[in-house]
Amino acid sequence: MERNSRMSASWPACTVAQAHSVLTAPGGLFETEQRTIRGIPTTVWTNAPDTLGEVFVVARSHRARPFLVFEDERVSYQGFARAAVAVAHILAGGGVRPGDRVAIAMANVPQWPVVFYGAVLAGAIVVPLNAWWTGPELAYALNDSAATVAFVDRERLDRLHDVLPSCPTLRRIYLTRDPGRVSSDPRVGSLDVVLGCSWEWEELPYLPIPDTRLTPEGEATIFYTSGTTGKPKGAIGTHRNACTVAFAAGFAPARSAVRRGDSPPSTVSEAPPKCVLMSVPLFHVTGSLVLLNTAMLAGDRIVLMPGWDPGEALTLIERERCTSIGGVPTIAWQLLEHPDRTRFDLSSLESVNYGGAPAAATLVDRIIDTWPHAVPAQGWGMTETSGTFTSHGDQDYRTHPTSCGLALPTGEMRVVDDAGQMLQTGRVGELWVRGANVIRGYWNNPGDTAAAFTDGWMRTGDLARIDHNGYLHIVDRIKDIIIRGGENIYSAEIEAALHAHPAVLDAALIGIPHPTLGEEPAAVVHLIPGTQLTETELRTHLAPRLAKFKIPVRILFHPHILPRNPNGKILKPALREMF
């Protein structure tokens, strides 16, 4: 049966609630149980690994299977495992103790996951740093986390050069992928001298994993928020947070299967190994906690991209027979609209996943029409939820294209008013979430932690509604809502209407000041290459779709995809400067 064929009259075979009941029942792969975590009753996966150390052990058992592909380099699970344990011994021998912070500042290269898991196995808290940051921004996070060791590549070391004297807690800095580099800072040494090149890792000695006790509720990671306003905050993730989202990756496809009337999977690795094109950065929770760890549990292969380039992505999908691609919706659009797309064999694609930003309702149909064997899927999450919190795909996505899906069984969500009181179904308010993948707070920041968390519930800052079927609809960020003369204007609605025009590839709505109304809506739009559109024509397109007060008073055309942070969210302050 083709997964993306026209929906049969018998679909769905059961309700969402019935599918969840089947999948989470005792004895099933996605069985759930109740645990009390920090005083809050919490639903957890019964069969998920308890710690990232257990994820590593599963990955090591895949042995000779191919794991990492980067340009001409290929690393097996065995080579990865030996290199990661070697890093763990380097750290332990250098004085790193459980709870110490170890930072990573490098692009998507094979050394990244090796260092991540080396630090985990040493009992350290891993601090992935945004590889796009400037030197002062990197120094801020290094000092805020009080990192004692950092692993960097050449570009990040160059950015840090002038600010390293202001990082007193750093005892050691390991440079990788540049064995000949010399630094004037005595703390800088070469990781490659110890590990060798990636193709030599299989020849490293088999060392025992350091005897470090890891616990499910122990601190595992500090991911810094995107920091579009103010200083980034360090989100403290536990081992359970990370393992919850890694194990959850197979739940939405399993739910779709049960809804179609198929049997649920019985094991994580029931299907043949897949191949994931890793175009999102590993320093983001989606890259490391979701994609990397999910692949490690299943024994899948990852093709690393150091930076996004749609032409290169098409080449890699064809060459490596990638089965899955993902990221923000713009990535899918750029592949669909690429002028050379039809020159490539993309028949290996089985899934196209995205999140992190609103997706036009038309995207799901474009994917199905272009790649009939690929399942489109999207979801919602944030740094503080360790990645995916809601998701859906396949037929459920087709019937709810404006939604970002249903909450996983391990999470709860509610929509509240300004006083924190729950709103009726369908009403718009602030989204609150809690569950096994929600962080416990912010590093060294009790004030922001207290402001964001109440009885385990986290205030997301997103305006949303939950429909009567339980599907989540994000309508705006609270700070981005436009109030024009007392009327609320939500970005998602206007951006969806803009995306409905066949020439629009990317769009964002922002507020611009008005002397009497307070502010008015304005839009920035990027067109599909080779198309033309005027401001008047686009306004005419919007007229039958939106109330008059919602139509942007000004529309500017941007020559490129709109600027985004690493989470895929459009940098609206930068767009406001255009006006």
Side-chain angles (χ1 to χ4, degrees):
M1 172 181 174
E2 287 190 7
R3 283 168 293 186
N4 284 326
S5 60
R6 186 175 300 170
M7 284 186 284
S8 66
S10 61
W11 189 91
C14 64
T15 66
V16 167
Q18 289 170 331
H20 279 217
S21 178
V22 168
L23 290 167
T24 61
L29 174 61
F30 295 102
E31 177 183 353
T32 60
E33 60 187 57
Q34 289 287 308
R35 299 275 180 89
T36 299
I37 301 174
R38 297 186 294 277
I40 306 296
T42 306
T43 302
V44 303
W45 305 116
T46 301
N47 299 315
D50 283 333
T51 69
L52 289 174
E54 293 181 21
V55 173
F56 175 81
V57 171
V58 172
R60 188 172 60 173
S61 70
H62 301 313
R63 298 183 62 80
R65 276 192 190 182
F67 179 28
L68 303 170
V69 177
F70 177 72
E71 297 177 348
D72 294 329
E73 302 174 39
R74 295 180 182 269
V75 179
S76 69
Y77 275 93
Q78 178 172 269
F80 155 77
R82 293 192 176 197
V85 175
V87 169
H89 281 271
I90 291 170
L91 292 172
V96 171
R97 298 292 176 258
D100 285 353
R101 274 72 65 201
V102 172
I104 309 174
M106 61 178 78
N108 282 10
V109 292
Q111 285 79 3
W112 204 106
V114 163
V115 169
F116 182 95
Y117 268 92
V120 165
L121 298 176
I125 301 173
V126 189
V127 187
L129 300 183
N130 187 328
W132 299 354
W133 277 346
T134 64
E137 290 170 320
L138 291 168
Y140 168 80
L142 288 169
N143 289 328
D144 184 69
S145 63
T148 59
V149 178
F151 291 84
V152 302
D153 57 18
R154 177 175 57 189
E155 185 173 345
R156 262 43 66 174
L157 182 62
D158 286 343
R159 295 183 196 173
L160 282 166
H161 181 270
D162 293 336
V163 296
L164 278 180
S166 67
C167 302
T169 64
L170 273 181
R171 300 197 304 261
R172 190 68 169 162
I173 302 160
Y174 289 97
L175 174 64
T176 187
R177 304 191 72 82
D178 197 355
R181 180 67 177 271
V182 177
S183 172
S184 59
D185 193 307
R187 293 173 291 180
V188 178
S190 173
L191 178 65
D192 301 329
V193 168
V194 182
L195 293 186
C197 299
S198 63
W199 53 87
E200 299 174 305
W201 291 347
E202 287 206 36
E203 306 305 319
L204 289 170
Y206 184 90
L207 299 172
I209 296 174
D211 186 17
T212 304
R213 178 173 172 76
L214 304 177
T215 62
E217 312 315 327
E219 297 166 349
T221 59
I222 298 174
F223 283 89
Y224 278 84
T225 59
S226 52
T228 53
T229 58
K231 292 290 188 182
K233 299 187 292 288
I236 307 170
T238 66
H239 284 271
R240 189 182 301 281
N241 293 159
C243 293
T244 296
V245 293
F247 192 78
F251 184 82
R255 179 175 58 211
S256 295
V258 172
R259 294 262 281 157
R260 289 194 305 268
D262 298 338
S263 299
S266 58
T267 65
V268 172
S269 302
E270 188 175 86
K274 306 296 184 183
C275 179
V276 181
L277 181 65
M278 178 80 78
S279 58
V280 298
L282 280 162
F283 60 74
H284 181 251
V285 290
T286 299
S288 53
L289 301 189
V290 180
L291 297 180
L292 173 65
N293 288 337
T294 298
M296 290 173 64
L297 289 176
D300 293 342
R301 178 164 47 103
I302 293 176
V303 179
L304 295 169
M305 292 188 72
W308 172 247
D309 179 276
E312 178 65 13
L314 292 170
T315 299
L316 290 172
I317 294 169
E318 179 181 70
R319 188 186 82 186
E320 300 295 335
R321 307 303 297 156
C322 295
T323 57
S324 175
I325 58 174
V328 294
T330 304
I331 285 177
W333 278 117
Q334 286 185 298
L335 293 180
L336 288 166
E337 300 296 343
H338 198 282
D340 296 330
R341 174 178 55 79
T342 57
R343 293 175 47 207
F344 294 87
D345 178 5
L346 309 180
S347 60
S348 60
L349 285 177
E350 297 177 3
S351 62
V352 182
N353 310 292
Y354 42 87
T362 55
L363 180 55
V364 59
D365 289 327
R366 283 295 310 278
I367 291 171
I368 291 170
D369 292 342
T370 305
W371 300 305
H373 298 285
V375 175
Q378 77 156 323
W380 172 89
M382 53 197 310
T383 303
E384 288 88 342
T385 65
S386 311
T388 309
F389 193 89
T390 70
S391 63
H392 65 165
D394 206 359
Q395 309 284 34
D396 279 321
Y397 184 15
R398 295 186 71 180
T399 54
H400 299 82
T402 62
S403 162
C404 47
L406 300 148
L408 294 166
T410 53
E412 305 172 77
M413 57 185 183
R414 59 170 56 162
V415 172
V416 305
D417 60 19
D418 292 341
Q421 299 300 307
M422 282 189 64
L423 293 172
Q424 292 180 339
T425 299
R427 294 282 302 278
V428 172
E430 184 179 13
L431 175 65
W432 287 17
V433 297
R434 72 176 181 182
N437 57 330
V438 177
I439 66 164
R440 70 168 182 80
Y442 297 112
W443 178 260
N444 198 29
N445 199 332
D448 282 340
T449 298
F453 293 87
T454 301
D455 296 328
W457 290 99
M458 189 197 75
R459 299 167 173 83
T460 66
D462 279 336
L463 285 171
R465 62 180 178 86
I466 301 172
D467 66 27
H468 67 282
N469 289 317
Y471 287 85
L472 176 67
H473 300 257
I474 301 293
V475 300
D476 212 342
R477 290 289 292 169
I478 290 177
K479 63 181 178 63
D480 288 337
I481 186 174
I482 299 168
I483 304 177
R484 181 185 189 183
E487 296 287 348
N488 290 347
I489 300 175
Y490 300 125
S491 299
E493 179 187 9
I494 287 73
E495 289 166 357
L498 290 165
H499 275 291
H501 194 287
V504 173
L505 181 57
D506 205 7
L509 188 80
I510 60 173
I512 58 176
H514 187 276
T516 57
L517 297 174
E519 57 184 346
E520 289 187 305
V524 182
V525 170
H526 171 62
L527 301 180
I528 292 171
T531 63
Q532 292 183 338
L533 192 64
T534 67
E535 186 174 353
T536 300
E537 289 170 337
L538 191 48
R539 235 186 243 106
T540 300
H541 159 81
L542 295 175
R545 293 170 169 81
L546 300 171
K548 188 175 181 180
F549 74 89
K550 298 178 181 178
I551 295 177
V553 297
R554 292 185 64 190
I555 301 174
L556 299 182
F557 294 92
H558 198 282
H560 308 292
I561 289 293
L562 304 187
R564 285 169 162 79
N565 66 23
N567 296 355
K569 294 181 173 60
I570 293 174
L571 296 172
K572 293 192 175 183
L575 298 183
R576 288 190 182 95
E577 295 178 3
M578 295 177 61
F579 294 89

